[in-house]
mmCIF file of all heavy atoms in Angstrom:
data_model
loop_
_atom_site.group_PDB
_atom_site.id
_atom_site.type_symbol
_atom_site.label_atom_id
_atom_site.label_comp_id
_atom_site.label_asym_id
_atom_site.label_seq_id
_atom_site.Cartn_x
_atom_site.Cartn_y
_atom_site.Cartn_z
ATOM 1 N N VAL H 150 -21.256 -4.538 -11.793
ATOM 2 C CA VAL H 150 -22.310 -3.540 -11.563
ATOM 3 C C VAL H 150 -22.711 -3.537 -10.087
ATOM 4 O O VAL H 150 -22.853 -2.484 -9.456
ATOM 5 C CB VAL H 150 -23.528 -3.832 -12.464
ATOM 6 C CG1 VAL H 150 -24.731 -3.006 -12.040
ATOM 7 C CG2 VAL H 150 -23.182 -3.550 -13.927
ATOM 8 N N LEU H 151 -22.871 -4.720 -9.509
ATOM 9 C CA LEU H 151 -23.248 -4.825 -8.093
ATOM 10 C C LEU H 151 -22.106 -4.364 -7.187
ATOM 11 O O LEU H 151 -22.338 -3.707 -6.162
ATOM 12 C CB LEU H 151 -23.629 -6.263 -7.761
ATOM 13 C CG LEU H 151 -24.872 -6.830 -8.452
ATOM 14 C CD1 LEU H 151 -25.074 -8.287 -8.047
ATOM 15 C CD2 LEU H 151 -26.109 -6.012 -8.125
ATOM 16 N N ALA H 152 -20.869 -4.715 -7.536
ATOM 17 C CA ALA H 152 -19.723 -4.306 -6.723
ATOM 18 C C ALA H 152 -19.591 -2.783 -6.696
ATOM 19 O O ALA H 152 -19.267 -2.196 -5.652
ATOM 20 C CB ALA H 152 -18.444 -4.945 -7.269
ATOM 21 N N TRP H 153 -19.844 -2.155 -7.820
ATOM 22 C CA TRP H 153 -19.796 -0.681 -7.875
ATOM 23 C C TRP H 153 -20.847 -0.085 -6.940
ATOM 24 O O TRP H 153 -20.553 0.828 -6.165
ATOM 25 C CB TRP H 153 -20.015 -0.193 -9.303
ATOM 26 C CG TRP H 153 -20.103 1.304 -9.413
ATOM 27 C CD1 TRP H 153 -21.230 2.068 -9.298
ATOM 28 C CD2 TRP H 153 -19.020 2.206 -9.631
ATOM 29 N NE1 TRP H 153 -20.916 3.399 -9.434
ATOM 30 C CE2 TRP H 153 -19.567 3.506 -9.638
ATOM 31 C CE3 TRP H 153 -17.649 2.049 -9.820
ATOM 32 C CZ2 TRP H 153 -18.780 4.655 -9.835
ATOM 33 C CZ3 TRP H 153 -16.861 3.186 -10.009
ATOM 34 C CH2 TRP H 153 -17.420 4.462 -10.013
ATOM 35 N N ALA H 154 -22.049 -0.615 -7.005
ATOM 36 C CA ALA H 154 -23.122 -0.103 -6.142
ATOM 37 C C ALA H 154 -22.780 -0.316 -4.672
ATOM 38 O O ALA H 154 -23.033 0.560 -3.822
ATOM 39 C CB ALA H 154 -24.440 -0.788 -6.488
ATOM 40 N N ALA H 155 -22.196 -1.468 -4.341
ATOM 41 C CA ALA H 155 -21.816 -1.745 -2.950
ATOM 42 C C ALA H 155 -20.709 -0.801 -2.492
ATOM 43 O O ALA H 155 -20.718 -0.321 -1.344
ATOM 44 C CB ALA H 155 -21.363 -3.197 -2.817
ATOM 45 N N TRP H 156 -19.751 -0.532 -3.368
ATOM 46 C CA TRP H 156 -18.670 0.390 -3.016
ATOM 47 C C TRP H 156 -19.218 1.803 -2.794
ATOM 48 O O TRP H 156 -18.796 2.495 -1.853
ATOM 49 C CB TRP H 156 -17.608 0.385 -4.104
ATOM 50 C CG TRP H 156 -16.473 1.343 -3.844
ATOM 51 C CD1 TRP H 156 -15.668 1.362 -2.740
ATOM 52 C CD2 TRP H 156 -16.039 2.409 -4.687
ATOM 53 N NE1 TRP H 156 -14.744 2.380 -2.847
ATOM 54 C CE2 TRP H 156 -14.955 3.037 -4.031
ATOM 55 C CE3 TRP H 156 -16.456 2.882 -5.925
ATOM 56 C CZ2 TRP H 156 -14.280 4.127 -4.584
ATOM 57 C CZ3 TRP H 156 -15.781 3.961 -6.480
ATOM 58 C CH2 TRP H 156 -14.711 4.580 -5.813
ATOM 59 N N GLN H 157 -20.154 2.213 -3.630
ATOM 60 C CA GLN H 157 -20.768 3.526 -3.445
ATOM 61 C C GLN H 157 -21.467 3.614 -2.087
ATOM 62 O O GLN H 157 -21.402 4.637 -1.396
ATOM 63 C CB GLN H 157 -21.755 3.812 -4.576
ATOM 64 C CG GLN H 157 -21.124 3.967 -5.948
ATOM 65 C CD GLN H 157 -20.166 5.143 -6.012
ATOM 66 O OE1 GLN H 157 -20.559 6.294 -5.824
ATOM 67 N NE2 GLN H 157 -18.886 4.859 -6.264
ATOM 68 N N ALA H 158 -22.125 2.534 -1.692
ATOM 69 C CA ALA H 158 -22.777 2.507 -0.378
ATOM 70 C C ALA H 158 -21.734 2.565 0.737
ATOM 71 O O ALA H 158 -21.945 3.224 1.770
ATOM 72 C CB ALA H 158 -23.620 1.244 -0.244
ATOM 73 N N GLN H 159 -20.601 1.897 0.543
ATOM 74 C CA GLN H 159 -19.542 1.885 1.542
ATOM 75 C C GLN H 159 -18.952 3.283 1.754
ATOM 76 O O GLN H 159 -18.794 3.736 2.893
ATOM 77 C CB GLN H 159 -18.448 0.904 1.116
ATOM 78 C CG GLN H 159 -17.181 0.923 1.941
ATOM 79 C CD GLN H 159 -17.330 0.284 3.304
ATOM 80 O OE1 GLN H 159 -18.415 -0.186 3.656
ATOM 81 N NE2 GLN H 159 -16.262 0.272 4.088
ATOM 82 N N ILE H 160 -18.641 3.986 0.685
ATOM 83 C CA ILE H 160 -17.981 5.290 0.831
ATOM 84 C C ILE H 160 -18.973 6.386 1.208
ATOM 85 O O ILE H 160 -18.577 7.436 1.709
ATOM 86 C CB ILE H 160 -17.203 5.675 -0.443
ATOM 87 C CG1 ILE H 160 -18.140 5.825 -1.654
ATOM 88 C CG2 ILE H 160 -16.115 4.646 -0.726
ATOM 89 C CD1 ILE H 160 -17.419 6.286 -2.920
ATOM 90 N N ALA H 161 -20.277 6.131 0.994
ATOM 91 C CA ALA H 161 -21.282 7.126 1.364
ATOM 92 C C ALA H 161 -21.315 7.352 2.866
ATOM 93 O O ALA H 161 -21.684 8.434 3.335
ATOM 94 C CB ALA H 161 -22.655 6.693 0.869
ATOM 95 N N ASP H 162 -20.923 6.340 3.622
ATOM 96 C CA ASP H 162 -20.949 6.427 5.084
ATOM 97 C C ASP H 162 -19.628 6.919 5.668
ATOM 98 O O ASP H 162 -19.499 7.043 6.891
ATOM 99 C CB ASP H 162 -21.284 5.054 5.678
ATOM 100 C CG ASP H 162 -22.688 4.587 5.318
ATOM 101 O OD1 ASP H 162 -23.543 5.449 5.070
ATOM 102 O OD2 ASP H 162 -22.904 3.356 5.266
ATOM 103 N N MET H 163 -18.642 7.174 4.808
ATOM 104 C CA MET H 163 -17.333 7.591 5.301
ATOM 105 C C MET H 163 -17.306 9.096 5.587
ATOM 106 O O MET H 163 -17.795 9.893 4.782
ATOM 107 C CB MET H 163 -16.249 7.240 4.270
ATOM 108 C CG MET H 163 -16.083 5.741 4.042
ATOM 109 S SD MET H 163 -14.924 5.339 2.708
ATOM 110 C CE MET H 163 -13.402 6.048 3.339
ATOM 111 N N LYS H 164 -16.747 9.466 6.724
ATOM 112 C CA LYS H 164 -16.645 10.889 7.069
ATOM 113 C C LYS H 164 -15.642 11.596 6.175
ATOM 114 O O LYS H 164 -15.819 12.759 5.811
ATOM 115 C CB LYS H 164 -16.237 11.030 8.538
ATOM 116 C CG LYS H 164 -17.283 10.533 9.523
ATOM 117 C CD LYS H 164 -16.820 10.727 10.956
ATOM 118 C CE LYS H 164 -17.881 10.238 11.934
ATOM 119 N NZ LYS H 164 -17.436 10.395 13.358
ATOM 120 N N THR H 165 -14.581 10.878 5.822
ATOM 121 C CA THR H 165 -13.555 11.433 4.931
ATOM 122 C C THR H 165 -13.613 10.705 3.600
ATOM 123 O O THR H 165 -13.460 9.477 3.559
ATOM 124 C CB THR H 165 -12.156 11.269 5.539
ATOM 125 O OG1 THR H 165 -12.124 11.885 6.824
ATOM 126 C CG2 THR H 165 -11.105 11.893 4.641
ATOM 127 N N PRO H 166 -13.849 11.410 2.496
ATOM 128 C CA PRO H 166 -13.951 10.723 1.204
ATOM 129 C C PRO H 166 -12.624 10.086 0.811
ATOM 130 O O PRO H 166 -11.550 10.548 1.230
ATOM 131 C CB PRO H 166 -14.337 11.852 0.245
ATOM 132 C CG PRO H 166 -13.882 13.103 0.912
ATOM 133 C CD PRO H 166 -14.021 12.860 2.383
ATOM 134 N N PRO H 167 -12.651 8.989 0.037
ATOM 135 C CA PRO H 167 -11.405 8.336 -0.393
ATOM 136 C C PRO H 167 -10.541 9.277 -1.219
ATOM 137 O O PRO H 167 -11.038 10.153 -1.933
ATOM 138 C CB PRO H 167 -11.898 7.150 -1.221
ATOM 139 C CG PRO H 167 -13.290 7.495 -1.619
ATOM 140 C CD PRO H 167 -13.851 8.342 -0.532
ATOM 141 N N GLU H 168 -9.239 9.074 -1.126
ATOM 142 C CA GLU H 168 -8.289 9.979 -1.758
ATOM 143 C C GLU H 168 -7.665 9.363 -3.009
ATOM 144 O O GLU H 168 -7.691 8.157 -3.210
ATOM 145 C CB GLU H 168 -7.168 10.326 -0.765
ATOM 146 C CG GLU H 168 -7.646 11.030 0.498
ATOM 147 C CD GLU H 168 -6.505 11.274 1.465
ATOM 148 O OE1 GLU H 168 -5.416 10.671 1.258
ATOM 149 O OE2 GLU H 168 -6.697 12.053 2.419
ATOM 150 N N ARG H 169 -7.098 10.239 -3.796
ATOM 151 C CA ARG H 169 -6.337 9.818 -4.961
ATOM 152 C C ARG H 169 -5.033 9.167 -4.482
ATOM 153 O O ARG H 169 -4.362 9.676 -3.588
ATOM 154 C CB ARG H 169 -6.030 11.042 -5.826
ATOM 155 C CG ARG H 169 -5.303 10.753 -7.135
ATOM 156 C CD ARG H 169 -4.998 12.063 -7.852
ATOM 157 N NE ARG H 169 -4.409 11.829 -9.143
ATOM 158 C CZ ARG H 169 -5.070 11.782 -10.280
ATOM 159 N NH1 ARG H 169 -6.386 11.969 -10.272
ATOM 160 N NH2 ARG H 169 -4.450 11.569 -11.414
ATOM 161 N N ARG H 170 -4.677 8.013 -5.074
ATOM 162 C CA ARG H 170 -3.442 7.315 -4.720
ATOM 163 C C ARG H 170 -2.754 6.806 -5.981
ATOM 164 O O ARG H 170 -3.418 6.423 -6.941
ATOM 165 C CB ARG H 170 -3.717 6.119 -3.812
ATOM 166 C CG ARG H 170 -4.298 6.432 -2.447
ATOM 167 C CD ARG H 170 -4.290 5.167 -1.600
ATOM 168 N NE ARG H 170 -4.947 5.339 -0.324
ATOM 169 C CZ ARG H 170 -4.946 4.437 0.650
ATOM 170 N NH1 ARG H 170 -4.307 3.283 0.484
ATOM 171 N NH2 ARG H 170 -5.563 4.658 1.785
ATOM 172 N N ASP H 171 -1.453 6.777 -5.946
ATOM 173 C CA ASP H 171 -0.667 6.210 -7.062
ATOM 174 C C ASP H 171 -1.054 6.824 -8.401
ATOM 175 O O ASP H 171 -1.000 6.163 -9.444
ATOM 176 C CB ASP H 171 -0.846 4.689 -7.123
ATOM 177 C CG ASP H 171 -0.435 3.990 -5.845
ATOM 178 O OD1 ASP H 171 0.600 4.362 -5.274
ATOM 179 O OD2 ASP H 171 -1.170 3.078 -5.409
ATOM 180 N N GLY H 172 -1.458 8.100 -8.372
ATOM 181 C CA GLY H 172 -1.834 8.767 -9.612
ATOM 182 C C GLY H 172 -3.186 8.361 -10.153
ATOM 183 O O GLY H 172 -3.501 8.647 -11.312
ATOM 184 N N LEU H 173 -3.992 7.717 -9.327
ATOM 185 C CA LEU H 173 -5.307 7.242 -9.757
ATOM 186 C C LEU H 173 -6.376 7.761 -8.810
ATOM 187 O O LEU H 173 -6.195 7.759 -7.584
ATOM 188 C CB LEU H 173 -5.348 5.711 -9.761
ATOM 189 C CG LEU H 173 -4.388 4.980 -10.710
ATOM 190 C CD1 LEU H 173 -4.372 3.487 -10.375
ATOM 191 C CD2 LEU H 173 -4.780 5.206 -12.161
ATOM 192 N N THR H 174 -7.500 8.177 -9.363
ATOM 193 C CA THR H 174 -8.635 8.559 -8.537
ATOM 194 C C THR H 174 -9.229 7.303 -7.895
ATOM 195 O O THR H 174 -8.965 6.180 -8.350
ATOM 196 C CB THR H 174 -9.715 9.244 -9.371
ATOM 197 O OG1 THR H 174 -10.299 8.273 -10.265
ATOM 198 C CG2 THR H 174 -9.156 10.415 -10.172
ATOM 199 N N PRO H 175 -10.037 7.441 -6.836
ATOM 200 C CA PRO H 175 -10.667 6.259 -6.256
ATOM 201 C C PRO H 175 -11.473 5.459 -7.275
ATOM 202 O O PRO H 175 -11.456 4.218 -7.254
ATOM 203 C CB PRO H 175 -11.566 6.853 -5.166
ATOM 204 C CG PRO H 175 -10.912 8.139 -4.794
ATOM 205 C CD PRO H 175 -10.329 8.667 -6.063
ATOM 206 N N GLU H 176 -12.176 6.155 -8.176
ATOM 207 C CA GLU H 176 -12.967 5.456 -9.186
ATOM 208 C C GLU H 176 -12.075 4.668 -10.141
ATOM 209 O O GLU H 176 -12.392 3.531 -10.525
ATOM 210 C CB GLU H 176 -13.814 6.461 -9.968
ATOM 211 C CG GLU H 176 -14.923 7.120 -9.161
ATOM 212 C CD GLU H 176 -14.423 8.221 -8.231
ATOM 213 O OE1 GLU H 176 -13.241 8.646 -8.386
ATOM 214 O OE2 GLU H 176 -15.195 8.660 -7.351
ATOM 215 N N GLN H 177 -10.954 5.270 -10.517
ATOM 216 C CA GLN H 177 -10.016 4.558 -11.384
ATOM 217 C C GLN H 177 -9.395 3.364 -10.657
ATOM 218 O O GLN H 177 -9.186 2.300 -11.252
ATOM 219 C CB GLN H 177 -8.924 5.524 -11.856
ATOM 220 C CG GLN H 177 -9.438 6.585 -12.819
ATOM 221 C CD GLN H 177 -8.413 7.671 -13.096
ATOM 222 O OE1 GLN H 177 -7.453 7.854 -12.333
ATOM 223 N NE2 GLN H 177 -8.620 8.428 -14.168
ATOM 224 N N ARG H 178 -9.142 3.521 -9.364
ATOM 225 C CA ARG H 178 -8.587 2.418 -8.578
ATOM 226 C C ARG H 178 -9.570 1.253 -8.498
ATOM 227 O O ARG H 178 -9.174 0.085 -8.483
ATOM 228 C CB ARG H 178 -8.211 2.902 -7.167
ATOM 229 C CG ARG H 178 -7.006 3.824 -7.162
ATOM 230 C CD ARG H 178 -6.708 4.354 -5.767
ATOM 231 N NE ARG H 178 -6.268 3.319 -4.854
ATOM 232 C CZ ARG H 178 -5.052 2.790 -4.816
ATOM 233 N NH1 ARG H 178 -4.124 3.196 -5.670
ATOM 234 N NH2 ARG H 178 -4.740 1.860 -3.934
ATOM 235 N N PHE H 179 -10.847 1.562 -8.432
ATOM 236 C CA PHE H 179 -11.863 0.512 -8.450
ATOM 237 C C PHE H 179 -11.739 -0.325 -9.717
ATOM 238 O O PHE H 179 -11.704 -1.561 -9.659
ATOM 239 C CB PHE H 179 -13.259 1.128 -8.355
ATOM 240 C CG PHE H 179 -14.382 0.149 -8.509
ATOM 241 C CD1 PHE H 179 -14.936 -0.482 -7.405
ATOM 242 C CD2 PHE H 179 -14.901 -0.159 -9.765
ATOM 243 C CE1 PHE H 179 -15.979 -1.395 -7.543
ATOM 244 C CE2 PHE H 179 -15.942 -1.067 -9.916
ATOM 245 C CZ PHE H 179 -16.478 -1.684 -8.798
ATOM 246 N N PHE H 180 -11.640 0.343 -10.857
ATOM 247 C CA PHE H 180 -11.617 -0.392 -12.126
ATOM 248 C C PHE H 180 -10.269 -1.075 -12.380
ATOM 249 O O PHE H 180 -10.232 -2.175 -12.952
ATOM 250 C CB PHE H 180 -11.990 0.534 -13.279
ATOM 251 C CG PHE H 180 -13.456 0.847 -13.339
ATOM 252 C CD1 PHE H 180 -13.924 2.099 -12.959
ATOM 253 C CD2 PHE H 180 -14.369 -0.116 -13.731
ATOM 254 C CE1 PHE H 180 -15.289 2.385 -12.994
ATOM 255 C CE2 PHE H 180 -15.735 0.157 -13.766
ATOM 256 C CZ PHE H 180 -16.197 1.413 -13.387
ATOM 257 N N VAL H 181 -9.171 -0.463 -11.968
ATOM 258 C CA VAL H 181 -7.877 -1.130 -12.118
ATOM 259 C C VAL H 181 -7.802 -2.338 -11.182
ATOM 260 O O VAL H 181 -7.306 -3.408 -11.555
ATOM 261 C CB VAL H 181 -6.715 -0.149 -11.850
ATOM 262 C CG1 VAL H 181 -5.377 -0.899 -11.813
ATOM 263 C CG2 VAL H 181 -6.683 0.931 -12.923
ATOM 264 N N GLY H 182 -8.324 -2.187 -9.959
ATOM 265 C CA GLY H 182 -8.383 -3.333 -9.050
ATOM 266 C C GLY H 182 -9.188 -4.467 -9.640
ATOM 267 O O GLY H 182 -8.798 -5.644 -9.540
ATOM 268 N N PHE H 183 -10.303 -4.127 -10.282
ATOM 269 C CA PHE H 183 -11.100 -5.150 -10.970
ATOM 270 C C PHE H 183 -10.285 -5.822 -12.061
ATOM 271 O O PHE H 183 -10.224 -7.062 -12.144
ATOM 272 C CB PHE H 183 -12.362 -4.515 -11.559
ATOM 273 C CG PHE H 183 -13.000 -5.314 -12.656
ATOM 274 C CD1 PHE H 183 -13.590 -6.541 -12.385
ATOM 275 C CD2 PHE H 183 -12.999 -4.854 -13.964
ATOM 276 C CE1 PHE H 183 -14.174 -7.293 -13.403
ATOM 277 C CE2 PHE H 183 -13.584 -5.593 -14.985
ATOM 278 C CZ PHE H 183 -14.172 -6.809 -14.704
ATOM 279 N N ALA H 184 -9.643 -5.028 -12.911
ATOM 280 C CA ALA H 184 -8.928 -5.590 -14.058
ATOM 281 C C ALA H 184 -7.797 -6.506 -13.623
ATOM 282 O O ALA H 184 -7.522 -7.529 -14.264
ATOM 283 C CB ALA H 184 -8.390 -4.459 -14.939
ATOM 284 N N GLN H 185 -7.145 -6.171 -12.513
ATOM 285 C CA GLN H 185 -5.961 -6.940 -12.130
ATOM 286 C C GLN H 185 -6.282 -8.296 -11.516
ATOM 287 O O GLN H 185 -5.373 -9.093 -11.301
ATOM 288 C CB GLN H 185 -5.088 -6.112 -11.182
ATOM 289 C CG GLN H 185 -4.349 -4.996 -11.897
ATOM 290 C CD GLN H 185 -3.281 -4.346 -11.041
ATOM 291 O OE1 GLN H 185 -3.246 -4.493 -9.818
ATOM 292 N NE2 GLN H 185 -2.396 -3.598 -11.681
ATOM 293 N N TRP H 186 -7.558 -8.597 -11.271
ATOM 294 C CA TRP H 186 -7.850 -9.944 -10.770
ATOM 295 C C TRP H 186 -7.553 -11.003 -11.834
ATOM 296 O O TRP H 186 -7.270 -12.154 -11.507
ATOM 297 C CB TRP H 186 -9.308 -10.065 -10.308
ATOM 298 C CG TRP H 186 -10.305 -10.382 -11.380
ATOM 299 C CD1 TRP H 186 -11.099 -9.504 -12.053
ATOM 300 C CD2 TRP H 186 -10.646 -11.680 -11.894
ATOM 301 N NE1 TRP H 186 -11.900 -10.158 -12.972
ATOM 302 C CE2 TRP H 186 -11.644 -11.497 -12.885
ATOM 303 C CE3 TRP H 186 -10.217 -12.968 -11.612
ATOM 304 C CZ2 TRP H 186 -12.202 -12.561 -13.602
ATOM 305 C CZ3 TRP H 186 -10.772 -14.028 -12.331
ATOM 306 C CH2 TRP H 186 -11.752 -13.815 -13.304
ATOM 307 N N ASP H 187 -7.590 -10.578 -13.121
ATOM 308 C CA ASP H 187 -7.421 -11.581 -14.172
ATOM 309 C C ASP H 187 -6.275 -11.271 -15.112
ATOM 310 O O ASP H 187 -6.324 -11.604 -16.293
ATOM 311 C CB ASP H 187 -8.721 -11.740 -14.960
ATOM 312 C CG ASP H 187 -8.803 -13.103 -15.661
ATOM 313 O OD1 ASP H 187 -8.066 -14.019 -15.246
ATOM 314 O OD2 ASP H 187 -9.591 -13.249 -16.605
ATOM 315 N N CYS H 188 -5.211 -10.631 -14.616
ATOM 316 C CA CYS H 188 -3.997 -10.558 -15.415
ATOM 317 C C CYS H 188 -3.555 -11.997 -15.700
ATOM 318 O O CYS H 188 -3.452 -12.808 -14.785
ATOM 319 C CB CYS H 188 -2.900 -9.830 -14.650
ATOM 320 S SG CYS H 188 -3.262 -8.104 -14.236
ATOM 321 N N ASN H 189 -3.279 -12.302 -16.968
ATOM 322 C CA ASN H 189 -3.004 -13.704 -17.289
ATOM 323 C C ASN H 189 -2.309 -13.831 -18.632
ATOM 324 O O ASN H 189 -2.227 -12.875 -19.414
ATOM 325 C CB ASN H 189 -4.311 -14.504 -17.302
ATOM 326 C CG ASN H 189 -5.119 -14.282 -18.565
ATOM 327 O OD1 ASN H 189 -5.025 -15.049 -19.519
ATOM 328 N ND2 ASN H 189 -5.912 -13.200 -18.602
ATOM 329 N N ASP H 190 -1.834 -15.020 -18.885
ATOM 330 C CA ASP H 190 -1.239 -15.368 -20.175
ATOM 331 C C ASP H 190 -1.444 -16.861 -20.376
ATOM 332 O O ASP H 190 -1.616 -17.606 -19.410
ATOM 333 C CB ASP H 190 0.249 -15.023 -20.188
ATOM 334 C CG ASP H 190 0.795 -14.827 -21.595
ATOM 335 O OD1 ASP H 190 0.023 -15.016 -22.561
ATOM 336 O OD2 ASP H 190 1.990 -14.490 -21.727
#
């Protein structure tokens, strides 16, 4: 929850908004990046 708020503050100051990459929106990239910290078996 805090990381999301911090990221929103970070991109609010950007002159150019973040772009879609690898078929994912910036918001989706945030959550996939989060999920991949704990890929495990």
